[in-house]
């Protein structure tokens, strides 16, 4: 479920601002911050069942700030974020999880960690279409019958 139509422009800006605070960009490790447009697009596209708690978290942040979080100077934004971290409850935990989940599935971040950004099998070996020989050991086993629950 896309959050593009669930979040206001101010909430999307606040999400980008808090994401940058959670995971800033690093030139040293050549990784983007969590405010990167591709990572933000992933967050908005995959919020799904977390959207209500994320909206609640963003609303709580805006209430603490007295205005949209993204419009605050860095020092005030940090103070609001610290207060939110102490008293944000499940909404704060969900917001942080959503940011980290989308950040750590980005191919650039995986590559910086030495993880291949693709499935580990077949490790570059191309299997011909219709070649089911990998299943031969399974097919050779005797069938197992079990009672259905």
């Amino acid at each position: 479920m896309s959050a593009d139509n669930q979040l206001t422009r101010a909430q999307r800006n606040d999400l980008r601002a808090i994401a940058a605070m959670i995971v800033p960009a690093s030139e040293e490790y050549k990784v983007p911050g969590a405010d990167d447009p591709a990572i933000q697009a992933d967050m908005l596209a995959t919020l799904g069942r977390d959207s209500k708690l994320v909206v609640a978290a963003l609303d709580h942040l805006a209430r603490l700030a007295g205005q949209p979080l993204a419009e605050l100077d860095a020092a005030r934004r940090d103070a609001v974020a610290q207060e939110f971290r102490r008293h944000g409850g499940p909404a704060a935990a969900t917001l942080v999880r959503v940011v980290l989940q989308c950040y750590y599935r980005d191919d650039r971040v995986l590559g910086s960690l030495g993880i291949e950004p693709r499935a580990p099998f077949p490790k570059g070996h191309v299997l011909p279409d219709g070649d089911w020989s990998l299943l031969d050991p399974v097919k050779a086993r005797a069938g197992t019958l079990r009672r259905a629950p």
Side-chain angles (χ1 to χ4, degrees):
M1 172 185 296
S2 175
D4 277 332
N5 56 1
Q6 294 176 355
L7 299 180
T8 65
R9 179 182 300 275
Q11 288 172 327
R12 288 193 300 270
N13 290 340
D14 285 355
L15 178 61
R16 188 177 309 109
I18 199 72
M21 293 175 74
I22 294 170
V23 185
S26 171
E27 275 298 315
E28 179 182 355
Y29 297 106
K30 297 178 178 44
V31 291
D35 62 334
D36 181 81
I39 296 170
Q40 286 291 302
D42 184 26
M43 277 184 228
L44 293 174
T46 60
L47 269 181
R49 66 186 178 138
D50 294 321
S51 62
K52 286 183 182 176
L53 280 175
V54 169
V55 167
L58 294 171
D59 288 346
H60 188 172
L61 278 165
R63 275 194 309 279
L64 288 173
Q67 65 187 69
L69 182 75
E71 295 176 5
L72 297 177
D73 62 78
R76 178 76 178 120
R77 189 182 303 164
D78 186 52
V80 167
Q82 292 301 325
E83 177 69 18
F84 175 67
R85 192 178 110 208
R86 284 190 295 275
H87 304 290
T94 299
L95 179 62
V96 170
R97 182 182 48 76
V98 164
V99 169
L100 294 177
Q101 169 181 300
C102 292
Y103 181 76
Y104 283 106
R105 70 177 167 218
D106 185 84
D107 288 350
R108 296 164 293 176
V109 175
L110 291 173
S112 76
L113 295 171
I115 300 171
E116 291 184 52
R118 62 182 174 89
F121 183 80
K123 288 270 188 193
H125 302 288
V126 177
L127 300 175
D129 285 338
D131 179 7
W132 298 98
S133 62
L134 287 174
L135 292 177
D136 289 344
V138 176
K139 289 178 185 177
R141 287 190 217 151
T144 303
L145 300 175
R146 295 190 180 129
R147 274 199 118 123

